[in-house]
Amino acid sequence: MKAHLTRRYRFSASHRLHSAEMSDEQNRETYGKCNNPYGHGHNYTLEVTVSGPVAAGTGMVCNLVDLDGFVEREVLSHYHLENLNTLQEFAKNVPTTENLCVEIYEILQRGFRLAHLERVKLEETLMNSFEYAGGGEIHH
């Protein structure tokens, strides 16, 4: 029997949406108030969905202690209270929530082996959330 598990986490970080490929005017037109030179912050809600067989002995897809430990160590401790613009992974990529969602997915995909990673969902505000499932969900 295969089941899905979704776990929620919270962290806060700041960013400025600005592309070196565009002029200051183009950046202002594209990103609006999110192009504020001083940046702005968000209280993000991260949802991680994993799947797998329900183990007969434990009745679980994976142990929450293992998932929580990995997310805390590899994701939350890296992004919480950080200015995303200063991080290596955003040296060339604009730190949009879409790009942050992809980065978090890739961290989990590379390192969490105790269940199958289905998707990552990142809520930026009550009105904006983004999901990434490894690119296989994109159809042209």
Side-chain angles (χ1 to χ4, degrees):
M1 171 176 50
K2 177 182 175 181
H4 289 78
L5 162 68
T6 299
R7 190 79 163 149
R8 270 197 188 105
Y9 306 92
R10 298 185 191 284
F11 68 97
S12 300
S14 67
H15 63 174
R16 177 188 186 205
L17 302 186
H18 186 87
S19 171
E21 306 294 316
M22 295 189 294
S23 70
D24 286 345
E25 183 179 332
Q26 288 172 312
N27 272 291
R28 281 190 300 276
E29 288 173 5
T30 301
Y31 299 118
K33 66 183 181 178
C34 296
N35 184 244
N36 178 342
Y38 302 104
H40 63 282
H42 294 285
N43 295 314
Y44 293 98
T45 300
L46 169 65
E47 289 185 3
V48 175
T49 301
V50 296
S51 68
V54 176
T58 65
M60 297 187 293
V61 170
C62 73
N63 192 320
L64 290 179
V65 171
D66 296 328
L67 181 58
D68 289 352
F70 183 89
V71 171
E72 174 62 41
R73 191 173 54 254
E74 302 296 329
V75 177
L76 303 181
S77 68
H78 183 63
Y79 293 117
H80 185 56
L81 301 180
E82 290 293 329
N83 175 346
L84 301 177
N85 297 78
T86 66
L87 301 178
Q88 181 61 39
E89 57 266 43
F90 298 113
K92 293 183 180 171
N93 291 326
V94 179
T96 61
T97 302
E98 293 93 327
N99 283 335
L100 178 58
C101 193
V102 170
E103 289 294 330
I104 292 171
Y105 179 94
E106 290 178 354
I107 290 168
L108 286 155
Q109 183 67 26
R110 279 191 307 267
F112 190 73
R113 299 277 178 243
L114 301 176
H116 174 74
L117 178 61
E118 291 286 339
R119 70 176 177 89
V120 166
K121 179 179 179 182
L122 197 54
E123 186 176 283
E124 178 183 65
T125 69
L126 288 175
M127 304 302 284
N128 295 338
S129 68
F130 306 89
E131 292 183 35
Y132 185 67
E137 72 284 7
I138 299 171
H139 303 287
H140 296 292

